[in-house]
C-alpha cells in the first residue's frame, strides 16, 4: 500500500510498532523528504520525483533507482570505502585498501583540478586510474581464492568485487564528469536529524505526526540551504 493509512488502520495498530520509510531527495538548495509505508518501488513512484527526473543522481547502490533516468548515476564512494574497510578487517587481503586508496587519490586529483579551474580530467590520467582499478579487481579475484568457498565472509567479499566490476562506470563517474559528486553525503546530512530524533523520541504515535514533521523539516532545511531566515520563511 502506497496510500496514507486510514484512521481505521491507525486504530487497529494501537499497541503495535511498525516501520515507515523516509526517503531523501537533496540538491544544493533544496531538501524534499517523503514518507512511505514501504521501501519498495511503489514508494519511489508515489514520491513522483525519479520517474520524471532526467539529471544526474548519486545513491547507495539501491538497484531500483537504476530503473529511472539515464546511465549517468554515480555510486556513493563514501559508502564503498566503508565496505572496503570492513572487508579489509575481516580478510586482511590487500586489494580492499588499495581500492579505497585509489578512489581517494582520484578524488584528490579532482579537487586539485577544480582549485586550478580545470573542470575535466585529462584522458591520460583517467585511463591510468581506470587501468589501476581493473588491476586491483584482478588482485581481489586472486586473493578471494584463499577463503573457504562456503564462507559468509567470502560471499560478502565476492559481492563487493562483483559490484565494483559491474558498476565501474558509476563508481568512476565522479572522475569522468566533475559535476557528479564523489558521495551522497549531502543527502546523508539532510537526513541525519531523523536518526537523532529516533534515538531521543523513539517513534511517532501516529502516521499523521510523522507526516507533519517530514513536511516541516523539508521546508525548514530548504530555507536554511537558501539562507532564508526560518521565521521569515514561515511567515
Amino acid at each position: 500500500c502506497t496510500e496514507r493509512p486510514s484512521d481505521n488502520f491507525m486504530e487497529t495498530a494501537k499497541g503495535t510498532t511498525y516501520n515507515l520509510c523516509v526517503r531523501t531527495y537533496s540538491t544544493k538548495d533544496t531538501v524534499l523528504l517523503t514518507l512511505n509505508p514501504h521501501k519498495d518501488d511503489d514508494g519511489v513512484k508515489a514520491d513522483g520525483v525519479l520517474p520524471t527526473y532526467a539529471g544526474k543522481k548519486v545513491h547507495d547502490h539501491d538497484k531500483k533507482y537504476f530503473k529511472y533516468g539515464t546511465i549517468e548515476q554515480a555510486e556513493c564512494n563514501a559508502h564503498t570505502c566503508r565496505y572496503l574497510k570492513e572487508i579489509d578487517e575481516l580478510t586482511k587481503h590487500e586489494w580492499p585498501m588499495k581500492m579505497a586508496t585509489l578512489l581517494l587519490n582520484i578524488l584528490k586529483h579532482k579537487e586539485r583540478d577544480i582549485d586550478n579551474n580545470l573542470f575535466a580530467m585529462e584522458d591520460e590520467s583517467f585511463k591510468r586510474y581506470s587501468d589501476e582499478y581493473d588491476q586491483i579487481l584482478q588482485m581481489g579475484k586472486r586473493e578471494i581464492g584463499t577463503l573457504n568457498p562456503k564462507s559468509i565472509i567470502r560471499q560478502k567479499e565476492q559481492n563487493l568485487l562483483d559490484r565494483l566490476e559491474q558498476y565501474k562506470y558509476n563508481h568512476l563517474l565522479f572522475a569522468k564528469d566533475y559535476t557528479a559528486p564523489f558521495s551522497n553525503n549531502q543527502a546523508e546530512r539532510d537526513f541525519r536529524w531523523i536518526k537523532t530524533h529516533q534515538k531521543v523520541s523513539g517513534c511517532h504515535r501516529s502516521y499523521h505526526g510523522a507526516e507533519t514533521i517530514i513536511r516541516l523539516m523539508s521546508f525548514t532545511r530548504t530555507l536554511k540551504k537558501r539562507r532564508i531566515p526560518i521565521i521569515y520563511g514561515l511567515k
Side-chain angles (χ1 to χ4, degrees):
C1 173
T2 58
E3 297 178 352
R4 179 173 178 237
S6 64
D7 292 336
N8 183 55
F9 170 85
M10 295 305 303
E11 195 66 28
T12 58
K14 280 184 178 179
T16 66
T17 301
Y18 57 94
N19 294 324
L20 294 170
C21 170
V22 177
R23 192 173 286 107
T24 312
Y25 301 94
S26 296
T27 67
K28 65 181 180 180
D29 64 358
T30 303
V31 179
L32 174 64
L33 301 164
T34 63
L35 190 69
N36 284 287
H38 303 291
K39 293 180 69 174
D40 58 15
D41 201 49
D42 286 340
V44 177
K45 293 176 183 176
D47 291 346
V49 177
L50 296 185
T52 59
Y53 181 69
K56 299 180 184 69
K57 56 182 178 286
V58 54
H59 52 79
D60 300 341
H61 194 64
D62 193 325
K63 290 186 178 180
K64 62 177 173 286
Y65 296 152
F66 284 105
K67 300 177 184 178
Y68 305 98
T70 67
I71 193 175
E72 305 301 303
Q73 302 187 38
E75 292 272 2
C76 175
N77 284 300
H79 279 80
T80 302
C81 286
R82 289 200 285 271
Y83 300 145
L84 288 165
K85 182 180 180 182
E86 179 188 14
I87 296 299
D88 168 66
E89 292 172 350
L90 290 172
T91 66
K92 304 304 179 184
H93 288 165
E94 288 187 47
W95 80 269
M97 294 316 295
K98 283 184 176 290
M99 182 62 80
T101 300
L102 173 64
L103 292 172
L104 293 173
N105 284 341
I106 298 173
L107 176 61
K108 289 177 183 176
H109 185 132
K110 174 180 176 176
E111 290 172 342
R112 284 196 304 269
D113 280 353
I114 293 174
D115 287 341
N116 292 314
N117 295 317
L118 299 173
F119 299 102
M121 186 177 292
E122 62 276 16
D123 292 340
E124 183 179 346
S125 293
F126 183 81
K127 184 179 185 307
R128 185 176 71 252
Y129 288 132
S130 177
D131 290 344
E132 186 176 351
Y133 186 103
D134 292 337
Q135 291 167 9
I136 294 171
L137 288 180
Q138 292 306 313
M139 175 189 291
K141 291 177 182 179
R142 292 192 297 271
E143 288 186 315
I144 201 173
T146 63
L147 297 178
N148 187 321
K150 296 182 180 179
S151 166
I152 295 176
I153 295 175
R154 174 169 178 155
Q155 186 59 52
K156 292 186 71 170
E157 186 172 21
Q158 186 67 61
N159 289 343
L160 185 55
L161 274 170
D162 291 344
R163 167 181 164 176
L164 286 164
E165 184 171 42
Q166 183 179 353
Y167 294 91
K168 175 184 175 181
Y169 178 88
N170 309 95
H171 281 286
L172 294 183
L173 183 61
F174 79 98
K176 190 71 174 176
D177 181 350
Y178 279 7
T179 64
F182 178 78
S183 72
N184 67 348
N185 283 352
Q186 179 174 247
E188 295 280 346
R189 288 191 294 271
D190 294 335
F191 182 77
R192 194 168 294 143
W193 67 270
I194 200 168
K195 289 297 184 182
T196 304
H197 175 85
Q198 191 176 28
K199 289 176 183 176
V200 174
S201 303
C203 64
H204 287 279
R205 297 299 179 185
S206 70
Y207 188 95
H208 178 68
E211 200 173 41
T212 299
I213 195 171
I214 289 303
R215 289 200 67 186
L216 282 171
M217 292 303 289
S218 293
F219 185 68
T220 55
R221 296 190 80 81
T222 296
L223 290 175
K224 185 176 180 179
K225 281 194 172 189
R226 299 184 186 186
R227 298 186 177 182
I228 298 173
I230 291 178
I231 294 297
Y232 175 83
L234 290 173
K235 286 181 180 178

